[in-house]
């Protein structure tokens, strides 16, 4: 059956490559589309011949190739936010062009109206791009602009808990998103427990989210692809930009290394909470202890243009969260009779390192290749050092102890991608890749030495896992006639772990049919396989979440998704409208077994024994997006109606239960408006049905019978007794059977811009949660008693924990040109 | 700079005020009858009857015990009559006070193995409940031996001790699920000293941790207290239990003056109802460490076989045997 599917797909992919090939004389126009000011590549820009209406889109490196009949050509290049250009010329031979888009006319280039590819023309569906400049103008928590938080405002994307940067796309989990930074997958993208993401907006050039209809070139995750591209650096002149906000400062510097040939960009960000918390906590503890936390990000990229055909890119990212707590105290001096001293230091560190080396090469005018080699390292470390010294009868005893824990994942990968443009009706992409994964699910080290003599030196390790993933894909984005276009492909994977091989063949197809010039119908069907799992035991995006591979005992996750929708440009092309319905099924999901708690048993244990496997997920719903990208007022209104369930044989008595982020309704309204050249305002309002939560619905007493005890921690006794109060908890509503209150929040922002003699500067004032809604973070059962004063009735109560009330923030940013 | 610093302090203060707890009403709980009973062959039939309570209800033993319920029991479909309420007080679970037990007892009747008992509990304020269970035969141990200090276990903190195994051979009844555990092990030991010193004989109480399963380090771990008959149903089978002897700090070659003469084993043979119930209860209790809810364990739904109510009407038969060595 799979072979049949494959042969059908390959036929479709190759089909039509002959269409249009029967013509006599043809030549190819190829080259790059770049920003005239800084040389940055323009991605997904439209290049077409106005006379024949045949065209192409630039790829992720700004490259295009368009093969046309010899003769007169009126070549138009268009990109959102840029003035389109039209170049009339006689096509008599293969031609290589670098097209610069700007707001100014250039000699033979005629300025024409913007004519970018409209939403109904695009074959892709379930895909949204958000301009970085728009993201920067949105209100931000504590003044820190965040790409992930902007993506959370899109329909079909749930944000998880208050303030977190988790992405839950169309019913998927946070592990099911392929988050790519310059083609390199990132595993943990949060800082400060999830309140900020690792992406520094100053260093980014584009953000694209794919929720369904995945082209065959993407693979490895079930639910979404977040494709983030870094800037390449200004090829023409030096620039610096930066900002200072309540908690962090950023600085980016870019410029040419060799003018017109090579450029660089370096961008850094660091928080400075620790600069204040350390002295304050030290003062509060009487000089005994101190506490500090900071995170930093460092992005860097260099590129070099060897020739029209060869370019090299080297990019890297380094980011860590650092939490340090220390307590130290001493009595007397060494040698004194009652001398004692202790010094406890804790350091918790987690973060990513990645590097990517990419080589673009153009083979002829129709074949573009990109060779990428990448390295990723995500790690989570905890180190505790304890020193204890005491004197007894002038005998000094010095005890040193160390407790360390680490987990992480390392990837080494290489991939080779080709873009082949045989004619204007076909854009064929194909490639191969290989990834070597190394997982450290948990490593616990423990040492004690007394007076320099080692008493204990031991390491407990969950088995380190290694796996290999080899991938090949081919896809064809083709047009048949003026109204029909499709992207059909297949993605194949071979995965090996513990001598167990998995094979996966994933057909992908999406298509659009233009009903009228402004309305199209779209549909897609995809199958996806994921060879990774994320062990997570709470709703908080903690760094202790552990990435683990599919193994011989824990099979990979698989899904299929079908989507159908309508897309249209409305109100004179001012708005883009899309309405989509989707249905997705997921298999091979994992969840912790009943009663499992990370703090009780995961560290050092075999994680495979702690999880239920073969879980089934079902998600379906409808999404509505009305987006305005042009004019003084821009933004979007998004609405999602969705259902999202899970089923495991050994959980919830085998019955389906709602996923914790199952939200029936989710609304987001995003608006930015330019009041003048100097002042712009922005606002976002979000509403979501409350998250699902498991809470006891009651309880009952338990009789303890003589000698009935367990190795798992229950208690033994020698007489029958009755236990109440903290007896057996009831879950009559089932798993996730309780609904939190609904979530809604209004954020407001105002930006003041000013051109200065050295560049530009702007002030941003943001108010997070402007009307102070107490949005629930979690609920728990407790007692009505003040733990400090003891006041209260002592009766059981349900408590709601709310974070982030009304929070104003100010940030200052500048750009030196 | 001074102004900036002041602003920062103000904002920090605002952040610290973010955490707030509020009280909310929950949907009312509809109380149901709770039955707690573990029948044992050869023992009298005792049933504890109470009611369930809501999550926000402030309960104590008095306001959840049902002292005026009607409890009727049937043996293989034949009514044995009603159970009488016996007003009894015992120590509470923690041993710190006395509580009233809602205990109902069937006078002049002992439960019998292989009999199926059903129960019906009625109360004017609650929906009636029913349950059924079959009393298992006692564990038929045909052979038992102790492998003393079989493996030296080194723990994460560097502490080491020897693990021992109690190997039980049992004749298992066919076509019925049985779950076996060892409640108590005593070993009678003859200590042999110098020929001039008379042997001493004494009995050791041994801690049996549970069913021995192979751990990754070559030693054993006990994750289950009950051994299952799934691999030897209806035949003779063996189960290893992990235990620790008082000599667990000695290597086998260091133990030369001890001779086991007899094993006194108190076993429990449980039916599937009781096993499923106690397994989930232990799981729920063992994972209950976080009251705040920030790092919750996965919730555990406790098994019940009580129709329209909660609790357990299960059975487990106890027996003590002496096995000469």
């Amino acid at each position: 059956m799979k072979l049949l599917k494959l042969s059908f797909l390959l036929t479709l992919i190759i089909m039509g490559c002959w269409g249009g090939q029967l013509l006599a004389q043809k030549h190819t126009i190829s080259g790059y589309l770049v920003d005239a000011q800084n040389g940055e590549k323009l991605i997904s820009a439209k290049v077409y011949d106005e006379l024949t209406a045949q065209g192409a889109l630039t790829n992720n490196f700004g490259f295009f190739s368009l093969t046309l009949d010899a003769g007169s050509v009126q070549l138009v290049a268009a990109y959102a936010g840029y003035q389109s250009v039209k170049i009339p010329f006689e096509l008599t031979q293969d031609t290589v062009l670098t097209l610069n888009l700007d707001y100014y006319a250039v000699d033979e280039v005629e300025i024409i109206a913007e004519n970018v590819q409209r939403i109904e023309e695009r074959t892709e569906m379930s895909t949204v791009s958000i301009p970085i400049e728009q993201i920067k103008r949105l209100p931000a928590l504590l003044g820190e602009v965040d790409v992930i938080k902007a993506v959370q405002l899109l329909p079909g994307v749930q944000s998880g808990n208050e303030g977190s940067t988790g992405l839950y796309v169309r019913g998927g989990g946070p592990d099911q998103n392929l988050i790519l930074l310059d083609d390199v997958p990132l595993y943990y993208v949060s800082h400060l427990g999830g309140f900020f993401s690792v992406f520094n907006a100053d260093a980014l050039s584009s953000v694209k989210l794919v929720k369904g209809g995945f082209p065959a070139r993407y693979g490895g995750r079930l639910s979404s692809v977040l494709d983030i591209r870094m800037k390449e650096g200004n090829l023409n002149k030096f620039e610096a930009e930066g900002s200072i906000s309540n908690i962090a400062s950023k600085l980016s510097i870019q410029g040419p290394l060799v003018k017109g040939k090579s450029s660089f960009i370096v961008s850094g960000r660091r928080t400075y909470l620790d600069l204040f918390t350390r002295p304050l906590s030290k003062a509060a503890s009487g000089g005994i202890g101190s506490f500090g936390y900071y995170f930093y990000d460092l992005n860097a990229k260099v590129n070099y243009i060897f020739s029209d055909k060869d370019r090299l890119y080297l990019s890297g990212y380094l980011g860590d969260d650092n939490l340090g707590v220390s307590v130290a105290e001493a009595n007397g001096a060494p040698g004194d009779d009652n001398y004692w001293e202790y010094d406890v230091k804790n350091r918790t560190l987690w973060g990513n390192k990645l590097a990517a080396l990419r080589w673009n090469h153009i083979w002829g005018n129709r074949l573009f290749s990109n060779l990428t080699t990448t390295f990723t390292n995500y790690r989570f470390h905890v180190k505790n050092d304890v020193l204890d010294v005491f004197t007894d009868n002038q005998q000094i005893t010095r005890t040193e102890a160390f407790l360390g824990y680490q987990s992480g994942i390392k990837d080494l990968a290489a991939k080779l991608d080709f873009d082949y443009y045989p004619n204007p009706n076909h854009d064929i992409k194909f490639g191969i890749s290989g990834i070597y994964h190394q997982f450290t699910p948990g490593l616990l080290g423990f040492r004690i030495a007394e007076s320099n003599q080692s008493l204990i030196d031991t390491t407990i390790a969950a088995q380190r896992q290694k796996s290999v993933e080899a991938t090949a894909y081919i896809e064809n984005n083709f047009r048949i006639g003026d109204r029909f276009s499709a992207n059909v492909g297949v993605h194949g994977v071979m995965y090996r772990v513990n001598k167990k091989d998995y094979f996966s063949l994933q057909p992908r197809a999406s298509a659009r049919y233009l009903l009228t010039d402004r309305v199209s119908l779209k549909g897609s069907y995809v199958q996806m396989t994921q060879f990774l799992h994320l062990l997570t035991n709470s709703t908080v995006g903690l760094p202790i979440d552990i990435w683990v591979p599919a193994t011989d005992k824990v099979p990979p996750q698989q899904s299929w998704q079908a989507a159908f929708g309508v897309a249209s440009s409305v109100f004179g092309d001012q708005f883009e409208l899309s309405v989509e319905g989707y249905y997705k099924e997921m298999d091979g999901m994992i969840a912790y077994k009943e009663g499992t708690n990370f703090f009780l048993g995961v560290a050092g244990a075999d994680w495979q024994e702690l999880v239920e496997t073969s879980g089934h997920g079902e998600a379906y719903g409808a999404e509505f997006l009305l987006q305005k990208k042009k004019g003084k007022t821009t933004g979007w209104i998004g609405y999602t109606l969705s259902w999202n369930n899970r089923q495991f044989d050994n959980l919830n008595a085998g019955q389906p239960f709602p996923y914790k982020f199952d939200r029936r309704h989710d609304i987001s309204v995003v608006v930015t408006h330019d009041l003048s050249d100097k002042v712009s305002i922005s606002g976002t309002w979000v509403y979501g049905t409350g998250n699902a939560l498991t809470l006891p619905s009651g309880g009952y007493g338990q009789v303890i019978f003589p000698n009935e005890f367990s190795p798992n921690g229950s208690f033994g006794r020698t007489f029958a007794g009755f236990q109440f109060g903290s007896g057996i908890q009831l879950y009559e509503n089932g798993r996730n059977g309780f609904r939190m209150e609904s979530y809604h929040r209004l954020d407001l922002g105002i930006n003041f811009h000013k051109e200065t003699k050295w560049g530009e500067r702007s002030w941003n004032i943001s108010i997070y949660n402007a009307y102070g809604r107490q949005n629930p973070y979690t609920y728990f059962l407790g007692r009505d008693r003040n733990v400090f004063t003891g006041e209260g009735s002592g009766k059981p109560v349900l408590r709601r924990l709310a974070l982030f009330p009304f929070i104003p923030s100010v940030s200052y940013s500048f750009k030196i040109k | 700079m001074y102004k900036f610093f002041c602003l920062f302090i103000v904002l920090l203060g605002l952040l610290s005020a973010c955490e707030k707890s509020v009280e909310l009403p929950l949907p009312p709980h509809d109380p149901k009858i709770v039955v707690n009973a573990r029948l044992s062959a050869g023992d009298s039939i005792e049933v504890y009857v109470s009611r369930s309570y809501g999550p926000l209800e402030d309960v104590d033993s008095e306001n959840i015990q049902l002292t005026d319920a009607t409890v009727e029991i049937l043996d293989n479909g034949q009514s044995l009559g009603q159970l009488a309420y016996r007003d009894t007080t015992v120590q509470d679970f923690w041993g710190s006070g006395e509580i009233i037990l809602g205990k109902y007892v069937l006078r002049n009747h002992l439960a019998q193995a292989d009999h199926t008992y059903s129960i019906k509990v009625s109360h004017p304020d609650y929906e009636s409940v029913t349950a059924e269970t079959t009393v298992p035969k006692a564990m038929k141990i045909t052979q038992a031996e102790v492998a003393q200090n079989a493996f030296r276990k080194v723990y994460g903190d560097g502490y080491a001790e020897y693990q021992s195994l109690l190997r039980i051979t049992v004749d298992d009844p066919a076509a019925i699920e049985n779950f076996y555990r060892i409640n108590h092990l005593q070993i009678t030991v003859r200590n042999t000293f110098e020929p001039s010193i008379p042997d001493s004989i004494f009995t050791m109480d041994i801690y049996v941790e549970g069913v021995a399963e192979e751990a990754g380090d070559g030693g054993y771990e006990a994750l289950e207290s009950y051994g299952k008959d799934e691999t030897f149903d209806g035949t003779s089978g063996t189960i290893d239990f992990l235990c620790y002897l008082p000599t667990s700090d000695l290597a086998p070659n260091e133990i030369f003056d001890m001779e086991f003469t007899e094993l006194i084993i108190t076993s429990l043979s449980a039916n599937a109802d009781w096993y499923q119930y106690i397994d989930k209860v232990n799981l729920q209790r063992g994972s209950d460490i976080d009251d705040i809810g920030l790092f919750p364990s996965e919730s555990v739904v406790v098994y019940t076989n009580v129709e329209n109510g909660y609790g357990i009407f299960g059975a487990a038969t106890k027996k003590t045997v002496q096995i000469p060595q």
Side-chain angles (χ1 to χ4, degrees):
Chain A
M1 191 60 190
K2 279 190 173 173
L3 279 176
L4 267 177
K5 276 186 195 171
L6 178 62
S7 57
F8 172 71
L9 280 166
L10 288 175
T11 307
L12 271 176
I13 293 165
I14 297 162
M15 181 189 83
C17 287
W18 290 276
Q21 293 287 348
L22 304 173
L23 305 175
Q25 189 73 34
K26 284 184 170 293
H27 299 295
T28 300
I29 309 164
S30 63
Y32 290 92
L33 207 60
V34 299
D35 182 310
Q37 294 297 309
N38 56 26
E40 288 279 345
K41 304 295 176 296
L42 300 178
I43 298 167
S44 296
K46 188 175 175 182
V47 181
Y48 66 101
D49 173 29
E50 204 171 50
L51 299 177
T52 60
Q54 297 204 305
L57 294 178
T58 57
N59 68 9
N60 283 335
F61 296 90
F63 176 79
F64 69 93
S65 174
L66 182 60
T67 301
L68 299 169
D69 290 342
S72 295
V73 168
Q74 294 206 5
L75 193 71
V76 178
Y79 189 64
Y82 288 76
Q83 289 283 352
S84 301
V85 296
K86 180 159 69 177
I87 311 171
F89 65 99
E90 280 296 312
L91 183 62
T92 56
Q93 59 183 0
D94 285 355
T95 305
V96 178
L97 292 170
T98 296
L99 297 169
N100 297 288
L101 263 57
D102 200 0
Y103 294 101
Y104 304 101
V106 182
D107 290 335
E108 68 274 22
V109 177
E110 176 193 343
I111 299 173
I112 61 169
E114 190 175 306
N115 189 13
V116 297
Q117 193 183 38
R118 297 189 304 272
I119 185 171
E120 64 272 13
E121 293 178 325
R122 294 175 212 145
T123 309
E124 64 190 20
M125 69 180 302
S126 313
T127 302
V128 188
S129 297
I130 314 176
I132 290 291
E133 288 309 313
Q134 188 172 22
I135 292 172
K136 284 183 168 184
R137 291 164 64 183
L138 296 178
L141 174 61
L142 292 169
E144 273 303 296
V145 170
D146 200 295
V147 169
I148 299 279
K149 285 205 166 59
V151 170
Q152 287 172 343
L153 296 169
L154 296 170
V157 183
Q158 318 284 14
S159 57
N161 269 334
E162 162 91 72
S164 85
T165 54
L167 291 178
Y168 299 82
V169 181
R170 288 187 172 175
D175 57 324
Q176 294 177 356
N177 309 304
L178 179 63
I179 300 177
L180 298 169
L181 181 62
D182 271 357
D183 287 327
V184 188
L186 276 170
Y187 288 95
Y188 192 76
V189 295
S190 297
H191 284 307
L192 194 56
F195 295 123
F196 301 100
S197 79
V198 300
F199 301 111
N200 176 354
D202 287 349
L204 306 179
S205 69
S206 70
V207 175
K208 182 167 82 171
L209 176 73
V210 187
K211 300 176 288 183
F214 304 102
R217 59 185 176 275
Y218 294 124
R221 302 289 191 280
L222 299 191
S223 290
S224 82
V225 178
L226 184 62
D227 195 345
I228 297 174
R229 303 268 156 186
M230 280 173 62
K231 287 177 181 170
E232 292 175 3
N234 197 321
L235 272 169
N236 303 321
K237 61 178 183 178
F238 285 95
E239 275 183 5
E241 61 181 311
S243 68
I244 300 167
S245 72
N246 299 78
I247 64 161
S249 288
K250 292 181 281 192
L251 181 65
S252 297
I253 300 171
Q254 57 180 314
L257 290 172
V258 180
K259 199 165 184 179
K261 272 191 169 296
S262 175
S263 64
F264 76 96
I265 179 168
V266 178
S267 187
R269 171 173 65 163
R270 190 196 191 278
T271 59
Y272 26 70
L273 274 173
D274 57 318
L275 302 181
F276 298 92
T277 57
R278 282 206 184 279
L280 286 175
S281 57
K282 196 159 189 173
S285 66
I288 295 174
S290 71
F291 157 83
Y293 168 83
Y294 70 90
F295 69 76
Y296 71 90
D297 298 301
L298 188 64
N299 295 75
K301 191 169 181 178
V302 181
N303 77 89
Y304 191 87
I305 303 169
F306 289 93
S307 67
D308 285 345
K309 295 190 177 220
D310 293 287
R311 294 178 182 217
L312 198 66
Y313 301 84
L314 176 63
S315 55
Y317 167 82
L318 181 63
D320 279 322
D321 285 58
N322 228 306
L323 175 68
V325 180
S326 61
V327 183
E329 199 178 1
N331 177 46
D336 290 355
D337 231 7
N338 293 318
Y339 170 71
W340 54 261
E341 174 193 354
Y342 68 85
D343 187 353
V344 181
K345 287 190 175 71
N346 169 278
R347 188 172 175 228
T348 306
L349 179 145
W350 64 96
N352 293 287
K353 288 178 192 168
L354 65 87
L357 180 66
R358 293 180 295 175
W359 170 44
N360 290 176
H361 181 73
I362 300 168
W363 309 77
N365 294 322
R366 301 182 191 184
L367 185 63
F368 176 94
S369 73
N370 175 48
L371 175 66
T372 307
T373 55
T374 64
F375 167 75
T376 314
N377 181 9
Y378 164 69
R379 68 224 187 276
F380 172 69
H381 291 178
V382 180
K383 291 178 183 174
N384 287 287
D385 286 292
V386 179
L387 170 68
D388 185 23
V389 181
F390 68 93
T391 310
D392 190 21
N393 287 333
Q394 302 205 329
Q395 180 76 33
I396 297 175
T397 305
R398 182 184 175 90
T399 307
E400 290 171 275
F402 167 82
L403 176 68
Y405 173 80
Q406 69 178 79
S407 69
I409 176 170
K410 282 181 191 169
D411 279 3
L412 272 175
K415 63 181 193 135
L416 181 58
D417 301 298
F418 291 94
D419 288 3
Y420 177 54
Y421 308 90
N423 61 54
N425 290 329
H426 294 270
D427 172 3
I428 297 172
K429 296 182 193 300
F430 56 97
I432 54 171
S433 68
I435 307 174
Y436 170 76
H437 300 284
Q438 182 179 292
F439 300 85
T440 307
L443 195 68
L444 195 65
F446 188 56
R447 287 198 303 270
I448 294 181
E450 194 172 289
S451 299
N452 293 326
Q453 188 177 355
S454 178
L455 300 179
I456 299 167
D457 190 350
T458 184
T459 301
I460 306 166
Q463 194 178 2
R464 192 167 274 171
Q465 303 268 9
K466 295 170 184 173
S467 63
V468 177
E469 202 173 326
T471 302
Y473 71 88
I474 182 167
E475 65 176 76
N476 185 4
N477 195 352
F478 61 93
R479 288 194 302 170
I480 298 175
D482 293 335
R483 296 191 177 277
F484 181 81
S485 70
N487 185 316
V488 180
V490 63
H491 184 99
V493 189
M494 192 283 290
Y495 175 82
R496 164 164 273 225
V497 61
N498 298 346
K499 297 180 182 172
K500 164 89 176 173
D501 292 326
Y502 289 101
F503 296 94
S504 168
L505 208 55
Q506 304 154 39
R508 316 277 178 84
S510 59
R512 71 107 169 99
Y513 182 79
L514 275 169
L515 290 175
T516 70
D517 282 353
R518 288 292 183 269
V519 181
S520 67
L521 292 178
K522 294 186 179 185
S524 67
Y525 173 85
V526 295
Q527 287 185 10
M528 308 291 282
T529 302
Q530 175 170 333
F531 296 96
L532 295 166
H533 297 279
L534 184 67
L535 285 174
T536 177
N537 78 329
S538 81
T539 54
V540 184
L542 292 170
I544 54 172
D545 292 350
I546 298 170
W547 285 93
V548 291
T551 66
D552 46 335
K553 292 179 185 170
V554 181
Q557 303 183 65
Q558 293 180 310
S559 73
W560 67 266
Q561 183 185 165
F564 185 77
V566 180
S568 177
S569 296
V570 292
F571 304 121
D573 291 353
Q574 288 289 304
F575 289 85
E576 288 184 349
L577 171 68
S578 76
V579 181
E580 291 186 10
Y582 66 90
Y583 182 86
K584 180 160 80 173
E585 286 200 5
M586 298 165 277
D587 285 301
M589 308 179 88
I590 64 170
Y592 275 125
K593 287 180 177 173
E594 284 188 336
T596 308
N597 187 299
F598 176 87
F599 296 100
L600 285 181
V602 176
D606 182 359
W607 63 271
Q608 296 173 101
E609 303 297 328
L610 301 174
V611 295
E612 299 288 352
T613 58
S614 307
H616 178 76
E618 180 190 53
Y620 53 94
E623 295 164 4
F624 167 93
L625 178 64
L626 181 66
Q627 190 172 15
K628 187 171 186 293
K629 290 183 171 176
K630 300 173 186 173
K632 286 188 172 181
T633 304
T634 57
W636 67 84
I637 298 171
Y639 170 69
T640 309
L641 172 70
S642 63
W643 287 262
N644 184 3
N645 295 312
R646 299 281 191 269
Q647 189 269 328
F648 288 80
D649 290 344
N650 295 323
L651 297 180
N652 202 47
Q655 296 300 306
F657 55 90
Y659 186 51
K660 56 191 173 187
F661 299 117
D662 169 46
R663 287 186 195 152
R664 198 68 63 245
H665 307 282
D666 202 82
I667 301 169
S668 56
V669 180
V670 178
V671 179
T672 60
H673 178 70
D674 293 328
L675 292 173
S676 68
D677 288 346
K678 294 184 175 177
V679 183
S680 66
I681 55 173
S682 60
T684 60
W685 183 76
V686 292
Y687 171 89
T689 304
N691 293 337
L693 179 73
T694 306
L695 274 181
S697 59
Y700 57 91
Q702 174 200 2
V703 175
I704 307 292
F705 289 89
N707 300 315
E708 184 68 73
F709 61 90
S710 146
N712 289 335
S714 189
F715 308 94
R717 56 178 298 157
T718 54
F719 55 89
F722 194 85
Q723 188 183 10
F724 62 91
S726 58
I728 292 169
Q729 291 182 329
L730 272 172
Y731 295 96
E732 293 158 297
N733 302 325
R735 201 178 182 90
N736 291 338
F738 177 79
R739 282 282 165 182
M740 294 185 179
E741 295 156 286
S742 59
Y743 182 99
H744 51 92
R745 194 190 76 231
L746 174 69
D747 303 336
L748 298 172
I750 185 165
N751 295 285
F752 300 96
H753 313 281
K754 189 177 180 183
E755 296 284 338
T756 64
K757 56 187 175 187
W758 44 264
E760 58 189 69
R761 63 107 181 111
S762 61
W763 283 95
N764 172 279
I765 299 170
S766 289
I767 299 172
Y768 184 89
N769 199 2
Y771 54 80
R773 163 79 174 170
Q774 296 274 311
N775 283 306
Y777 185 77
T778 189
Y779 295 81
F780 59 95
L781 290 166
R783 293 270 168 182
D784 177 25
R785 181 176 292 121
N786 186 313
V787 292
F788 298 109
T789 64
E791 292 174 354
S793 66
K795 290 184 175 175
V797 288
L798 178 69
R799 293 190 178 277
R800 179 185 69 196
L801 184 67
L803 302 177
F804 298 147
F806 174 91
I807 298 180
S809 61
V810 181
S811 67
Y812 172 82
S813 55
F814 61 89
K815 193 168 187 178
I816 303 169
K817 297 178 182 174
Chain B
M1 189 60 198
Y2 174 74
K3 285 179 181 173
F4 176 78
F5 181 74
C6 290
L7 177 66
F8 186 85
I9 295 298
V10 169
L11 291 173
L12 210 63
L14 280 171
L15 257 185
S16 67
C18 291
E19 190 178 317
K20 190 176 180 181
S21 295
V22 291
E23 293 166 19
L24 290 171
L26 272 179
H29 171 76
D30 181 23
K32 291 180 179 174
I33 290 175
V34 177
V35 171
N36 276 300
R38 190 184 79 180
L39 308 186
S40 186
D43 286 351
S44 62
I45 295 172
E46 297 179 348
V47 177
Y48 301 85
V49 181
S50 57
R51 66 163 178 87
S52 63
Y53 48 83
L56 301 183
E57 198 176 338
D58 202 9
V59 292
D60 59 37
S61 64
E62 287 185 32
N63 66 20
I64 62 169
Q65 304 296 341
L66 298 181
T67 58
D68 53 348
T70 304
V71 183
E72 185 186 4
I73 196 157
L74 295 88
D75 178 356
N76 290 337
Q78 298 290 316
S79 175
L80 296 176
Q82 289 187 1
L83 279 69
Y85 176 70
R86 182 182 290 172
D87 194 0
T88 314
T89 57
V90 296
Q91 278 186 296
D92 71 2
F93 181 74
W94 306 106
S96 57
E98 287 193 334
I99 59 169
I100 300 166
L101 286 175
K103 185 162 79 171
Y104 294 78
V105 181
L106 183 65
R107 299 177 201 280
N108 306 320
H109 191 91
L110 301 179
Q112 295 177 58
D114 292 334
H115 284 226
T116 298
Y117 293 89
S118 48
I119 192 171
K120 182 180 179 186
V121 180
S122 311
H123 189 278
D125 296 338
Y126 307 100
E127 193 178 358
S128 297
V129 301
T130 57
E132 184 177 280
T133 199
T134 301
V135 178
K137 284 191 174 78
M139 192 172 175
K140 190 175 179 184
I141 298 172
T142 57
Q143 208 176 336
E145 59 183 345
V146 173
Q148 190 177 5
N149 293 11
F151 179 78
R152 185 172 184 266
K153 182 85 169 180
V154 182
Y155 298 95
D157 58 0
Y159 175 71
E161 65 179 336
Y162 281 92
Q163 298 179 317
S164 300
L165 294 179
L166 168 65
R167 173 159 291 180
I168 300 281
T169 303
V170 57
D171 271 356
D172 183 68
I176 185 167
E177 266 189 303
N178 282 95
F179 301 86
Y180 300 120
R181 61 170 289 163
I182 302 303
N183 272 359
H184 195 201
L185 170 65
Q186 289 177 299
I187 303 177
T188 306
V189 180
R190 175 186 290 121
N191 237 344
T192 54
F193 301 105
E194 296 290 321
S196 58
I197 303 173
D199 292 352
S200 70
I201 295 176
F202 61 96
T203 301
M204 303 188 295
D205 280 309
I206 306 301
Y207 173 53
V208 180
E209 194 166 280
V211 179
E213 293 175 40
E214 285 184 9
D217 58 1
Y220 304 92
E221 57 186 350
L223 301 175
E224 293 267 0
S225 49
Y226 284 89
K228 300 168 190 168
D229 64 349
E230 52 197 1
T231 58
F232 55 86
D233 182 46
T235 62
S236 179
T238 59
I239 307 171
D240 288 341
F241 290 89
L242 177 61
C243 53
Y244 293 90
L245 272 51
T247 56
S248 64
D249 57 340
L250 297 175
N253 59 1
E254 295 172 318
I255 306 168
F256 47 82
D257 56 356
M258 288 176 65
E259 185 186 323
F260 296 167
T261 60
E262 187 181 57
L263 304 181
I264 305 166
I265 300 167
T266 303
S267 65
L268 198 66
S269 167
N271 69 0
D273 289 326
W274 182 256
Y275 170 77
Q276 290 179 75
Y277 168 76
I278 205 71
D279 184 49
K280 294 293 185 183
V281 167
N282 286 330
L283 199 54
Q284 191 181 86
R285 294 223 166 280
S287 61
D288 188 17
I289 63 157
D290 175 32
D291 288 336
I292 299 175
L294 285 177
F295 311 113
S297 299
E298 301 302 328
S299 59
V300 179
V301 177
V302 173
Y303 170 81
T304 181
N305 64 345
V306 179
E307 289 283 330
N308 302 323
Y310 301 114
I312 185 65
F313 186 61
T317 298
K318 189 173 64 179
K319 188 177 184 183
T320 301
V321 293
Q322 294 169 299
I323 311 284
Q325 297 294 291

